[in-house]
Amino acid sequence: MDKPSTEVVRFAPQQKRRAEFEPIDRAGHAVIALLQKAADIAEENIERAMTVAHRLGLELRTAEDRIRELEGEVERLESRATRAEQWLGTIKKEIEDTLIAPMEASRSKQQVV
């Protein structure tokens, strides 16, 4: 009969423990990397949104200024149109008083005679 071997095989518990946790560590690092990537993308999106918001704010102010200018122009043109209508009324009355009324009076006199 053979004698049992007295040789002891040593296991490296530290290495075994590391091997057990290695997939967890990789997964943890992968999750952290994904979170960092998501944070970077979110930051880029925020920067892009802020840039767009700033540009749109400037465009809005420019549009508001232009609207005020146009409103002023409309008021000015309405005032001119009102004055022109008043002048047309004055000119019409003057024509009627100085040209048409004397002509009609002249015709009436000629028909009576």
Side-chain angles (χ1 to χ4, degrees), residues 2-102:
D2 292 312
K3 284 185 171 184
S5 174
T6 57
E7 189 178 319
V8 177
V9 177
R10 294 188 177 218
F11 291 101
Q14 289 288 352
Q15 289 177 352
K16 185 176 182 187
R17 188 178 289 163
R18 283 186 188 154
E20 287 174 3
F21 290 115
E22 211 170 272
I24 293 173
D25 291 338
R26 281 192 301 242
H29 287 295
V31 168
I32 297 294
L34 288 173
L35 287 172
Q36 184 61 48
K37 187 175 180 178
D40 292 343
I41 290 171
E43 188 174 331
E44 289 172 10
N45 288 341
I46 289 170
E47 280 184 39
R48 210 172 309 121
M50 294 295 287
T51 300
V52 169
H54 179 70
R55 189 188 82 235
L56 291 175
L58 293 175
E59 288 178 16
L60 177 62
R61 270 186 240 113
T62 301
E64 289 171 339
D65 291 344
R66 182 68 178 136
I67 287 169
R68 278 190 290 280
E69 288 174 15
L70 292 172
E71 287 172 341
E73 183 72 8
V74 165
E75 287 177 22
R76 189 180 69 76
L77 292 174
E78 284 176 343
S79 175
R80 281 185 68 188
T82 301
R83 283 196 332 263
E85 287 175 354
Q86 290 169 348
W87 273 110
L88 287 174
T90 302
I91 292 168
K92 178 185 174 194
K93 184 165 179 11
E94 188 68 25
I95 290 171
E96 288 173 348
D97 292 348
T98 58
L99 297 175
I100 297 175

